[in-house]
Amino acid sequence: MERFSSLSPTSKDRSLSFVKHPSIRIDINYRELLLHEIRYELRKMSALLLESLRAWWPETILSFGALGVLLLGAWVRPAGPSKATSNGGLFAAETSTTSTRLFWIASGVILVASGVALWFSPTSPDSETFFGLIICDPLSRVLRWIALATTALVILMVVDSREVVSHRRGEYVGLLLLIGLGLMLMAEANHLLMAYVAMELVSLSSYVLVGFLDQRRSAEAALKYLFFGALSSAVMLFGMSLLFGLTGQLGFPDILQALMRPVAGSGALMMVAVTFLLAGLAFKISMVPFHMWTPDAYEGAPVPVAAFLSVGPKAAGLALLLRVMTALGPRWPDLEPLILSLTIVTMTLGNLVAIVQTNVKRLLAYSTIAQVGYLLIGFSVNSNLGLQAILVYLVAYMFMNLGVFACAVAVVNDSGNESLEAFRGLAQRSPVLAFLCTLFLLSLAGIPPLLGFFGKFLLFGAAVESGQIVLAIAGVVNSAVALYYYINLVRLMYLLDPQQARPLHLKLPLRLAVVLCGVGTLWLGLFPNELVALLRGSSFISLF
Amino acid sequence: MLSVLLLCPLIGMLVVLALPKTAVRAIRFVALLASGLALAFAIQLFQFFRPQEAIQLVERIVWIPQMRIFYHVGVDGLSLPLVFLTVLLGFIACLASASITERQKEYYALYLLLEMGMLGTFMALDFFLFYVFWEVVLVPMYFLIGIWGGGRREYSAFKFFVYTLAGSLAILLAILMLYFRTGTFDMVALAQMGPLLEPDLQRLLFVAFFLGFAIKVPVFPFHTWLPDAHVDAPTPISVLLAGVLLKMGGYGFFRIAYPICPEGAQWAAGAMAVLGMINIVYGAFVAMAQTDFKKLVAYSSVSHMGFVLLGLASLQTEGVNGALLQMFNHGTITGGMFLLVGVLYDRAHTRDLNAFGGLGAHMPKFSGLLIFFGLASLGLPGLSGFVGEFLSLLGAFGVWRWQTVVSVLGIVVAAAYILTAIQRVLLGPPNERWKNLPDVNPREMASLIPLVVLILALGVYPLLLIDLQDGAVQQFIAHVKGP
């Protein structure tokens, strides 16, 4: 930190200046002076750290909580070896002992505490938190809420999931909480290194969680995900180092200032740096051509983990993308055609490939890619309305996509079958679940009066406003294409008879998750005014 | 007042959802009550309605202030007849829904949601609200065809959904383009601002609106969803599809495409007239080739909706009045035809025209009604079908001469296919297979009699309806033609 900032002529005077003069001959007066300076600096630093911590309670609680749950998991191992060996089938025997319940109570307490802390945490527009590593502006606050809510909803889904053997549940929940922490860090990173560390935290936890099923394909998926992820993060790191070499800066505001000045003869190299940097982010949000890992990883992962991966990293990655692009603002005209065409390709490819899927996780993976394409519309138009639209659509996407995954959790839990056929006749087995699932699917397809429609309305509106009619038309045509596979699921649920007439009952936590998502999708869709008012204040990025 | 009308089916739907699945009689009663109340309220509306005024009975509440979106409803002479048609057919089709024997709770809930969507479409004066209602109609319709339909119901329901959604997305784009040019979703204000836009933009917007509305009408070559959906839908839903849903497309032209983009409308008038002509003649000839009775009625709808386009393209008082009349009359006549085909199908379980013959001897009431509706459909003077077609042709003749002349051919062919169908079903040697078919029962009679009365009344005294709409029509023409 100190070395980097000392390289920059413009950086503010926050470097630890005493380290700079180690060779000065120290006489008594001088030593006094130096000690005084050290004391002063230390006091200043600790004041700054304390000040920063005040804004950082949610993350602190979450990180200690996550580590605590992990420790608890290692300590309390309820199931004997008999349980571990009995999992020849897809599911282990269900053991809901009091000790496993402990994890849910612990994680619930941690999340609620973190939420309360976030509620009271200040949003300071200045970027001095942790020496400028972290920014707590309104935008990051919204995305921290999204990260926390996503984590909470996914944990509700995990509680009664029968996919994972019970003696691993401590690690399971701990890692989920760690991803939540990583997402929050991604949302508020204001510095390339911070962004990198946060993304690695999310990625590493995700690799483990994808491989959590005791199945060959799960391990394969995790390995594939790991290779792709390692490659892309290496590429991103390379891009970062190039960018650092060119500008001498790592903090986003400093990079922006450095780029404002004309840099002679570095145009091509700068493009390489920026492209590499974007590649890493594109990997996280499954943007074409870095989407290949998505269907495989989702298919191998437990359903709740796939749900988490399809919402959390997408939201946080998009937030980071927004910040990085704001910092690279002067370079935007060079990149615009590339981003624009990739946006169109992303949604088209996602939608077209989703049509032929028969596994529900793969279907939702391609649907995720398509939805990311819609979100990128707001990013490509690079306008204030576009940013607002992204935020609204992210909230919508969180509710509807987690909702649809929660329905998938229920169905997969019940039937042990991941093919779309498992949804057959759901309307007769559980009318409420089928109704809510239809709501989520129609919202994803963009049918009013659901929240997904309102988000799309804003996104397409942003495209029209900035004169990118092609983008709007591409989005519209894709919406019609997407209807095909969303309505196919609805058809299976309502128009066909079930394979088994047994009614499907949901356990309380899962029911809570589905209903919460349903209320969010329908109620906010009918009355989005409050949400828009709330997000409108957050839709600017403060870099100065 | 109008909100009460919207709330009737909505509250009805919520009550139906709250009732247990097995309480079929209660569910049916609630649905009938809700649609009956809506009908009663709509009849009350005529008392408050002042034909010489423009938009009235307006309600305007802020909905999403950040985007200047309002809950904004109102009616005028263009929409009031269609609102009445909706609640009338809504009640009649609800009566006819007794033929639905499975999953009644879901059926009636979706049915009432559909009715609310249709009503809202005709009353909305805010573009956002309009679009919401427009789309709300699609979803229940998909399920109603897909679950309770016959034949290739899944395919037909899906085709209907995708076609209309594709069209409505074009409308969405046009709405957004208008919003970012003018800063409002208010349809009344947009009708004032629209004509001031550049002619090129107006033409572009007209094309986008045309795509959306033409698929709904349906205009050739976007009509292919119609025969599938109409044939495979259950009888009451066919009635609403033909009676009300097609009018949503026509109404879109009247309320949105023409007033907001008058330049585009005049630019496309020639094409509209030709498309109307193709609809009339093509629909009639294809109808003549059908052996499935329901398909015949479906294609006759394509033909009859052509008169709406032709009359609209003329932009003359007679033509536009005729087009509006034709929309209302087609709703009552074709609705009745579908009900009668349903009556026949419920008893014989076939709709093949060649399988029948000599039914006139066994089913006198049915025969009388079928002949009555058939004659109304082919445009016999004295029944309402004639008035709308005649006025449309009269208005168009001065402007689009040869198109009108060719269109008259459609009436001749209509006479041919309707009379042939009547002959095959009712006349000829009695078919022993159908000797024991019971005649029309009182419930079916009750659903058909109001339509008979309306058709007769409007055929003899069309001023009943023209008086209501003429003021709005004059304003409409003056507005579109400009100073």
Side-chain angles (χ1 to χ4, degrees):
Chain A
M1 179 64 219
E2 168 269 325
R3 268 178 57 211
F4 298 142
S5 53
S6 68
L7 279 167
S8 72
T10 54
S11 80
K12 294 155 203 157
D13 184 24
R14 57 169 177 266
S15 55
L16 308 180
S17 52
F18 62 91
V19 195
K20 277 189 202 158
H21 339 279
S23 59
I24 289 175
R25 198 176 64 84
I26 298 170
D27 55 21
I28 292 185
N29 275 348
Y30 225 89
R31 185 183 290 154
E32 285 277 301
L33 212 66
L34 193 59
L35 278 174
H36 185 73
E37 195 180 344
I38 291 173
R39 257 189 237 114
Y40 171 72
E41 286 287 347
L42 277 176
R43 209 173 297 133
K44 203 170 101 184
M45 201 163 75
S46 61
L48 206 60
L49 273 174
L50 278 179
E51 184 67 24
S52 305
L53 261 180
R54 244 165 40 83
W56 218 59
W57 274 115
E59 284 82 352
T60 316
I61 293 172
L62 204 54
S63 49
F64 281 111
L67 296 174
V69 170
L70 274 177
L71 275 180
L72 206 66
W75 191 16
V76 188
R77 283 195 175 259
S82 60
K83 298 269 166 37
T85 50
S86 70
N87 52 22
L90 188 54
F91 295 139
E94 175 61 27
T95 53
S96 183
T97 57
T98 45
S99 49
T100 52
R101 194 154 291 160
L102 198 64
F103 297 126
W104 316 127
I105 295 167
S107 55
V109 168
I110 292 160
L111 283 167
V112 169
S114 182
V116 170
L118 185 52
W119 183 268
F120 290 109
S121 80
T123 42
S124 53
D126 68 70
S127 52
E128 288 300 302
T129 322
F130 286 114
F131 314 101
L133 283 174
I134 272 176
I135 183 160
C136 296
D137 62 355
L139 176 71
S140 66
R141 191 185 173 85
V142 171
L143 285 149
R144 282 154 92 191
W145 273 117
I146 291 180
L148 210 56
T150 309
T151 317
L153 285 170
V154 169
I155 294 223
L156 280 179
M157 286 183 220
V158 168
V159 176
D160 283 306
S161 169
R162 294 204 286 143
E163 281 181 302
V164 173
V165 288
S166 57
H167 71 268
R168 285 220 195 124
R169 285 198 173 156
E171 295 155 49
Y172 198 2
V173 178
L175 286 170
L176 284 174
L177 290 174
L178 272 185
I179 296 188
L181 173 68
L183 295 177
M184 289 173 92
L185 290 178
M186 271 169 85
E188 56 194 350
N190 200 29
H191 190 275
L192 281 178
L193 281 184
M194 188 67 225
Y196 184 75
V197 170
M199 282 176 72
E200 284 302 289
L201 180 59
V202 173
S203 298
L204 290 172
S205 316
S206 313
Y207 303 148
V208 180
L209 281 178
V210 165
F212 231 66
L213 292 181
D214 280 339
Q215 290 170 36
R216 200 187 152 80
R217 58 171 187 155
S218 188
E220 195 183 309
L223 203 61
K224 211 181 228 170
Y225 187 23
L226 172 68
F227 284 149
F228 268 115
L231 181 69
S232 77
S233 78
V235 168
M236 184 172 69
L237 206 54
F238 189 37
M240 283 178 178
S241 62
L242 280 178
L243 196 63
F244 176 62
L246 288 166
T247 60
Q249 301 296 345
L250 282 172
F252 293 157
D254 305 327
I255 292 177
L256 179 61
Q257 278 182 358
L259 286 177
M260 293 288 220
R261 291 190 303 271
V263 186
S266 61
L269 202 56
M270 182 60 90
M271 272 305 278
V272 173
V274 171
T275 316
F276 279 8
L277 185 56
L278 289 185
L281 287 167
F283 171 81
K284 269 265 88 80
I285 62 169
S286 307
M287 183 179 173
V288 173
F290 303 96
H291 65 284
M292 278 91 85
W293 59 275
T294 318
D296 293 329
Y298 286 16
E299 195 187 357
V303 190
V305 173
F308 205 177
L309 290 185
S310 84
V311 178
K314 307 296 178 262
L318 215 62
L320 204 50
L321 197 59
L322 283 168
R323 284 201 202 283
V324 169
M325 281 324 291
T326 314
L328 299 174
R331 295 281 149 182
W332 176 256
D334 304 338
L335 289 165
E336 197 178 358
L338 180 73
I339 304 264
L340 212 67
S341 42
L342 283 182
T343 301
I344 295 175
V345 174
T346 302
M347 58 179 136
T348 312
L349 186 130
N351 276 326
L352 287 181
V353 185
I355 289 178
V356 296
Q357 300 305 319
T358 53
N359 177 302
V360 66
K361 286 197 252 176
R362 284 189 86 85
L363 176 100
L364 290 175
Y366 281 108
S367 141
T368 300
I369 296 173
Q371 298 287 335
V372 166
Y374 299 136
L375 279 164
L376 283 171
I377 291 180
F379 175 66
S380 317
V381 298
N382 195 18
S383 69
N384 196 34
L385 183 66
L387 186 53
Q388 263 182 57
I390 287 184
L391 290 181
V392 172
Y393 202 70
L394 273 178
V395 174
Y397 181 63
M398 178 183 83
F399 282 124
M400 60 197 183
N401 212 45
L402 284 181
V404 114
F405 267 107
C407 296
V409 170
V411 169
V412 173
N413 254 347
D414 173 74
S415 63
N417 184 354
E418 286 171 8
S419 78
L420 294 181
E421 288 293 307
F423 279 82
R424 274 182 71 144
L426 192 63
Q428 288 165 51
R429 301 181 56 198
S430 172
V432 177
L433 185 67
F435 169 73
L436 287 170
C437 190
T438 306
L439 217 59
F440 301 134
L441 289 167
L442 290 178
S443 179
L444 282 167
I447 304 284
L450 304 167
L451 189 54
F453 163 73
F454 189 69
K456 258 191 192 166
F457 182 77
L458 290 180
L459 282 171
F460 297 163
V464 170
E465 183 206 39
S466 58
Q468 310 274 21
I469 301 291
V470 182
L471 216 49
I473 291 177
V476 159
V477 171
N478 265 294
S479 299
V481 173
L483 184 73
Y484 185 89
Y485 57 89
Y486 290 130
I487 214 69
N488 182 39
L489 258 179
V490 176
R491 181 184 72 94
L492 285 168
M493 290 191 295
Y494 276 91
L495 271 51
L496 299 182
D497 286 326
Q499 285 165 329
Q500 55 211 37
R502 179 168 51 87
L504 194 158
H505 290 298
L506 269 64
K507 293 231 174 105
L508 187 65
L510 189 55
R511 202 182 301 165
L512 192 64
V514 177
V515 168
L516 279 177
C517 290
V519 169
T521 309
L522 184 62
W523 185 257
L524 289 177
L526 281 172
F527 305 102
N529 41 347
E530 293 293 322
L531 181 71
V532 175
L534 208 70
L535 295 180
R536 176 163 274 197
S538 323
S539 59
F540 65 92
I541 299 185
S542 50
L543 271 183
F544 299 100
Chain B
M1 191 71 202
L2 292 177
S3 299
V4 177
L5 204 52
L6 276 176
L7 280 176
C8 282
L10 182 66
I11 293 174
M13 180 190 81
L14 295 177
V15 173
V16 166
L17 284 177
L19 287 169
K21 195 157 59 176
T22 46
V24 177
R25 289 175 65 92
I27 288 172
R28 218 178 118 65
F29 176 75
V30 169
L32 272 173
L33 186 69
S35 52
L37 274 177
L39 179 61
F41 276 119
I43 291 171
Q44 291 299 306
L45 279 186
F46 288 104
Q47 285 182 8
F48 300 97
F49 188 75
R50 303 271 167 277
Q52 60 279 7
E53 288 171 24
I55 302 281
Q56 45 198 302
L57 301 172
V58 172
E59 287 167 46
R60 196 159 186 257
I61 303 166
V62 179
W63 185 11
I64 307 170
Q66 295 87 354
M67 302 284 290
R68 273 158 288 175
I69 294 171
F70 292 83
Y71 169 81
H72 186 186
V73 292
V75 288
D76 67 353
L78 299 177
S79 50
L80 187 65
L82 294 172
V83 169
F84 178 66
L85 180 70
T86 307
V87 287
L88 177 71
L89 288 180
F91 181 66
I92 286 174
C94 196
L95 268 179
S97 296
S99 57
I100 302 295
T101 50
E102 54 174 359
R103 293 167 84 175
Q104 285 97 341
K105 179 178 168 182
E106 288 160 285
Y107 175 87
Y108 284 105
L110 288 166
Y111 181 91
L112 291 170
L113 182 64
L114 174 71
E115 187 174 347
M116 190 194 76
M118 295 187 302
L119 277 173
T121 310
F122 292 131
M123 299 196 292
L125 291 175
D126 183 283
F127 248 139
F128 189 85
L129 187 68
F130 173 85
Y131 189 78
V132 168
F133 280 128
W134 177 274
E135 295 276 280
V136 159
V137 171
L138 296 189
V139 179
M141 194 47 110
Y142 170 79
F143 288 110
L144 288 168
I145 299 175
I147 299 180
W148 293 276
R152 293 192 301 163
R153 56 187 179 186
E154 286 175 29
Y155 169 79
S156 301
F158 177 69
K159 193 170 178 184
F160 164 79
F161 202 160
V162 169
Y163 264 62
T164 22
L165 185 80
S168 45
L169 286 168
I171 300 177
L172 180 65
L173 272 188
I175 292 176
L176 286 170
M177 277 164 84
L178 269 171
Y179 176 71
F180 287 108
R181 275 307 295 271
T182 60
T184 178
F185 285 116
D186 187 337
M187 280 152 70
V188 184
L190 276 172
Q192 302 307 316
M193 283 187 239
L196 307 175
L197 296 172
E198 308 89 317
D200 279 343
L201 182 65
Q202 284 192 43
R203 286 178 202 139
L204 183 68
L205 287 170
F206 187 84
V207 170
F209 282 132
F210 174 82
L211 272 178
F213 298 138
I215 288 175
K216 203 82 166 190
V217 167
V219 177
F220 178 89
F222 305 110
H223 66 283
T224 55
W225 64 268
L226 180 135
D228 286 320
H230 280 52
V231 170
D232 291 337
T235 302
I237 302 308
S238 299
V239 172
L240 289 185
L241 255 177
V244 184
L245 253 76
L246 306 191
K247 312 307 176 291
M248 283 165 59
Y251 174 75
F253 281 116
F254 276 98
R255 169 71 67 218
I256 295 166
Y258 270 62
I260 295 180
C261 328
E263 187 66 37
Q266 284 178 4
W267 166 71
M272 290 282 283
V274 172
L275 285 172
M277 176 194 80
I278 295 176
N279 255 37
I280 295 171
V281 177
Y282 170 85
F285 273 111
V286 179
M288 197 151 79
Q290 301 306 319
T291 53
D292 182 328
F293 202 172
K294 214 170 177 184
K295 220 165 195 166
L296 183 143
V297 182
Y299 274 108
S300 83
S301 287
V302 176
S303 179
H304 286 142
M305 289 307 283
F307 288 102
V308 177
L309 290 182
L310 193 66
L312 190 56
S314 74
L315 283 179
Q316 304 294 320
T317 313
E318 300 85 5
V320 176
N321 261 316
L324 271 175
L325 271 178
Q326 175 72 359
M327 289 219 283
F328 187 88
N329 294 335
H330 174 258
T332 51
I333 295 170
T334 309
M337 284 298 271
F338 273 121
L339 282 174
L340 285 170
V341 176
V343 166
L344 196 58
Y345 183 73
D346 282 346
R347 288 160 174 69
H349 301 289
T350 177
R351 293 184 303 250
D352 188 357
L353 287 170
N354 295 324
F356 294 105
L359 281 188
H362 302 305
M363 306 168 74
K365 287 185 212 157
F366 175 79
S367 311
L369 286 167
L370 186 64
I371 291 173
F372 177 84
F373 279 99
L375 292 179
S377 182
L378 64 80
L380 186 78
L383 299 179
S384 65
F386 170 74
V387 187
E389 291 176 12
F390 179 75
L391 284 177
S392 295
L393 291 171
L394 187 67
F397 189 68
V399 192
W400 310 107
R401 187 135 313 172
W402 66 268
Q403 288 92 331
T404 313
V405 172
V406 177
S407 299
V408 173
L409 189 63
I411 300 189
V412 180
V413 181
Y417 65 76
I418 296 271
L419 291 177
T420 317
I422 289 178
Q423 181 201 342
R424 283 189 195 168
V425 176
L426 300 180
L427 308 179
N431 188 334
E432 287 304 310
R433 243 173 100 192
W434 314 121
K435 222 169 80 179
N436 296 323
L437 288 190
D439 206 347
V440 179
N441 64 31
R443 183 182 53 75
E444 291 158 345
M445 212 59 181
S447 61
L448 284 161
I449 289 298
L451 297 177
V452 172
V453 173
L454 264 176
I455 292 171
L456 208 55
L458 285 176
V460 178
Y461 192 68
L463 275 182
L464 277 178
L465 204 53
I466 293 179
D467 274 344
L468 277 181
Q469 68 192 29
D470 191 52
V473 167
Q474 299 298 346
Q475 285 172 4
F476 172 80
I477 293 172
H479 177 83
V480 174
K481 280 195 161 170

